[in-house]
Amino acid sequence: MKLSQFKFHLPESLLATEPSEQRDESRLMVLHKDTGKIEHKIFKDVIDYFDDKDVMILNNTKVFPARLYGNKEKTGATIEVFLLRELNKELRLWDVLVDPARKIRVGNKLYFGEDDLLVAEVVDNTTSRGRTIRFLFDGTDEEFRRNIEILGETPLPKYIKRKATPEDKYRYQTIYAKEEGAVAAPTAGLHFSRELMKRLELKGVDFAEITLHVGLGTFRTVEVEDLTKHKMDSEQFIITEEAAKIVNRALDNKRRVCAVGTTSMRAIESSVSADKRLKPAADWTSKFIYPPYDFSIANSMITNFHMPESTLLVMIAAFAGYENVMNAYEVAVKEKYRFYSYGDAMLII
């Protein structure tokens, strides 16, 4: 398929810049992939579509405050440093993006916070905006992490043109987040409240927690018309024995298995056994799912509404059918559903 087939008109007013008042009261579009039928619900209604021994696969990655603002030595110019991932814990080496990149060269020192709480040195160039930096810090890892917490901002997507607030620290994080390492939230999970999780549990729904540390590559613009030529960035994922057991038991019993989010879907599709069962793994994936694609594990999924020509929209079309999805998105725009990270949700069954 071609990238241009995934274009659609998205009015800017539909980009959600604030979360819904209550997590589980955002809107929910239910798309039946066999018929293309669409229902309009509230997210908490998701419980009506699941029964005893069905499984929801949750990505329990935790977003860390990845956006730092520092000053360049000598000139004092303000520099944004976006922490992508830790390369070496002992040496405190990090892969980062810097802005404005033209001002940052190898050997430059960067100072963060009043009293220079953290200092870093640029040690390498990686991409046009990418750098490798080393934090010059002698304290314990715990103290270092605490300083990142103090200095860092919640890494809201760039389209949200406002400063991150204390509320974002809580709302741009799933309630089941545990394993720190993501620079963007697995946004389909943001709709789950503690009350809804408890109600699902009481109904007999099982939860299988996996981890995929979301990187910025998931949201990178696709720049090739031929989708087979697009390369995804690698993201680290972990599927435990326990999670695999819960999912495989549901598959054996022909229950509903729901991937909560595109990140959960990428992780599970990156670790499939020859007999189409989920395998435990601790690995990296650069899997790009586009139509036509034969899904092995999940038979339903929950996802947000994605941007035109994005890898996420392409994956959804592979799962639910191209015509179904493009029609559903046309309806979503007409019905003024909210799009992107803080937006509304879709259940595909």
Side-chain angles (χ1 to χ4, degrees):
M1 293 198 83
K2 303 287 184 227
L3 178 67
S4 51
Q5 290 174 262
F6 294 90
K7 262 191 186 140
F8 65 92
H9 175 61
L10 178 60
E12 206 170 315
S13 60
L14 298 185
L15 290 175
T17 58
E18 303 283 347
S20 59
E21 207 164 301
Q22 301 296 329
R23 283 183 187 267
D24 57 15
E25 288 183 2
S26 52
R27 292 166 77 192
L28 176 72
M29 178 187 283
V30 182
L31 173 61
H32 296 259
K33 58 181 178 169
D34 293 344
T35 62
K37 180 185 161 198
I38 287 169
E39 299 176 85
H40 302 288
K41 303 282 184 177
I42 298 295
F43 191 79
K44 58 171 71 163
D45 297 332
V46 82
I47 194 167
D48 299 335
Y49 297 87
F50 292 87
D51 285 312
D52 189 32
K53 298 297 173 247
D54 288 345
V55 169
M56 287 185 168
I57 302 170
L58 309 174
N59 182 3
N60 67 9
T61 188
K62 189 174 186 182
V63 180
F64 66 95
R67 187 170 278 131
L68 303 177
Y69 292 96
N71 299 98
K72 191 179 160 191
E73 64 176 334
K74 295 182 184 149
T75 66
T78 301
I79 305 294
E80 181 188 312
V81 174
F82 194 100
L83 303 174
L84 290 175
R85 63 177 177 228
E86 191 171 39
L87 300 173
N88 184 307
K89 195 176 257 200
E90 283 68 44
L91 297 176
R92 306 206 196 283
L93 281 179
W94 283 75
D95 215 353
V96 304
L97 294 176
V98 294
D99 195 18
R102 67 184 184 282
K103 294 186 175 176
I104 302 301
R105 297 191 173 86
V106 172
N108 286 162
K109 282 207 174 75
L110 305 172
Y111 297 86
F112 301 94
E114 288 175 25
D115 306 326
D116 304 333
L117 198 56
L118 286 177
V119 180
E121 183 181 11
V122 180
V123 296
D124 199 7
N125 296 323
T126 50
T127 60
S128 58
R129 284 181 56 218
R131 302 289 185 271
T132 301
I133 66 172
R134 180 172 66 233
F135 284 99
L136 310 172
F137 187 78
D138 293 332
T140 64
D141 193 55
E142 203 179 307
E143 289 166 334
F144 175 70
R145 303 272 160 189
R146 195 159 54 240
N147 286 354
I148 294 286
E149 278 288 330
I150 292 166
L151 296 169
E153 267 190 15
T154 302
L156 293 180
K158 280 285 193 190
Y159 83 91
I160 297 179
K161 295 178 174 39
R162 61 172 176 79
K163 286 292 243 183
T165 65
E167 192 199 16
D168 289 313
K169 194 170 183 176
Y170 161 68
R171 290 300 302 270
Y172 193 65
Q173 191 84 271
T174 63
I175 59 162
Y176 47 78
K178 288 189 186 79
E179 305 294 335
E180 191 170 88
V183 299
T187 55
L190 298 180
H191 304 283
F192 285 85
S193 64
R194 293 192 195 287
E195 297 74 24
L196 179 58
M197 297 277 286
K198 181 47 83 179
R199 287 173 62 217
L200 285 162
E201 218 176 281
L202 290 171
K203 200 170 180 183
V205 175
D206 289 326
F207 299 111
E209 290 191 13
I210 58 108
T211 306
L212 181 137
H213 292 314
V214 191
L216 287 184
T218 295
F219 309 100
R220 182 159 294 152
T221 313
V222 183
E223 287 169 347
V224 285
E225 175 66 357
D226 178 355
L227 291 176
T228 64
K229 303 278 194 297
H230 178 68
K231 297 282 183 283
M232 295 286 282
D233 289 6
S234 280
E235 292 171 318
Q236 189 181 20
F237 75 98
I238 298 155
I239 295 167
T240 62
E241 294 263 2
E242 174 65 12
K245 200 163 73 184
I246 293 168
V247 170
N248 292 334
R249 188 171 59 222
L251 289 174
D252 293 340
N253 294 326
K254 302 200 168 12
R255 304 306 306 169
R256 184 161 277 168
V257 175
C258 180
V260 177
T262 55
T263 60
S264 295
M265 187 68 92
R266 277 187 78 216
I268 60 179
E269 285 297 319
S270 299
S271 193
V272 179
S273 66
D275 61 347
K276 298 210 163 183
R277 289 296 178 265
L278 186 59
K279 289 189 307 192
D283 208 344
W284 291 76
T285 179
S286 54
K287 192 174 192 67
F288 175 33
I289 297 173
Y290 53 87
Y293 184 87
D294 185 17
F295 289 82
S296 300
I297 307 295
N299 46 36
S300 63
M301 82 181 290
I302 292 169
T303 185
N304 276 27
F305 287 92
H306 306 295
M307 304 298 266
E309 299 186 308
S310 63
T311 59
L312 309 172
L313 176 59
V314 170
M315 181 201 284
I316 302 307
F319 187 71
Y322 174 78
E323 279 81 12
N324 282 345
V325 167
M326 296 314 281
N327 175 55
Y329 269 56
E330 205 177 298
V331 171
V333 169
K334 202 166 79 195
E335 297 291 330
K336 294 189 166 46
Y337 274 76
R338 298 159 79 241
F339 278 67
Y340 215 39
S341 300
Y342 272 151
D344 295 316
M346 176 190 271
L347 168 64
I348 303 167
I349 50 176

